[in-house]
Amino acid sequence: AAVIGSDVEVVQNNLALIYDRLGMARESAAAVERAVAINPENLDAMNNLMILYGKLGRHDDALKTAEKILRADPANAKAYAGLGGVYVSMRQLAPAGEAFSWAVALNPNDYYSLANLGSVYAETGRLDLAQEAWIRALSINPNLPQVRENLARLKATRSLR
């Protein structure tokens, strides 16, 4: 029975990926919910669910899911990165910045969190820190066109002063 349950969990996670790629976030979340019901200890699935809840505007569910993940694994960098994204979608930039900072502290090569941290810094007027975060993100992954564009715009703005 454990093998069958495991197979069903894998199928649900794969369905969730397909639905997400098709832009069907509700269906994707439902598939991940089924996977998490089968294996509530699958923190990667729970992290995906948190992100999907954020996309769907189900912020309370996203925050509760983040809390469960971080209670089970306080050093889960992916959970902090996802939580940062949820806070950004809620326009709560201070906790978003804190979550992305934790993600980077736990995984210094997390270019996703560095890029987003830079954007939070820029939106809150902390331009030196934004530039630093974006440069670090690009040093890890140079294929981030939006980050490159943000950095160029910041440098152009500063040269006009």
Side-chain angles (χ1 to χ4, degrees):
V3 173
I4 292 171
S6 174
D7 290 345
V8 173
E9 177 189 359
V10 169
V11 168
Q12 292 303 320
N13 279 315
N14 288 339
L15 272 174
L17 287 171
I18 292 166
Y19 284 137
D20 192 50
R21 288 187 180 135
L22 293 172
M24 300 168 69
R26 257 187 212 84
E27 292 81 356
S28 183
V32 178
E33 286 171 338
R34 290 188 296 270
V36 169
I38 294 165
N39 181 3
E41 295 176 17
N42 184 337
L43 299 183
D44 286 335
M46 288 180 68
N47 193 58
N48 292 339
L49 189 57
M50 171 187 51
I51 292 165
L52 287 164
Y53 283 156
K55 281 184 183 180
L56 291 169
R58 293 174 57 182
H59 298 126
D60 287 343
D61 290 331
L63 295 175
K64 286 176 190 171
T65 303
E67 186 179 316
K68 287 178 190 174
I69 297 166
L70 293 170
R71 198 174 319 117
D73 180 7
N76 191 315
K78 283 197 238 177
Y80 281 109
L83 181 59
V86 171
Y87 279 128
V88 166
S89 73
M90 296 170 69
R91 300 300 304 152
Q92 293 186 16
L93 298 182
E98 188 175 322
F100 288 131
S101 292
W102 273 106
V104 171
L106 293 165
N107 178 6
N109 292 320
D110 181 358
Y111 59 85
Y112 167 85
S113 291
L114 282 163
N116 283 294
L117 184 58
S119 296
V120 168
Y121 284 148
E123 286 192 46
T124 56
R126 299 163 73 186
L127 302 181
D128 288 339
L129 292 173
Q131 180 173 328
E132 181 183 317
W134 287 334
I135 288 171
R136 280 183 60 199
L138 288 169
S139 74
I140 297 165
N141 181 356
N143 295 324
L144 300 170
Q146 185 63 52
V147 173
R148 194 171 299 288
E149 185 180 310
N150 291 346
L151 189 56
R153 193 176 316 119
L154 176 63
K155 288 180 177 179
T157 303
R158 290 181 146 194
S159 70
L160 295 175
R161 290 184 193 163

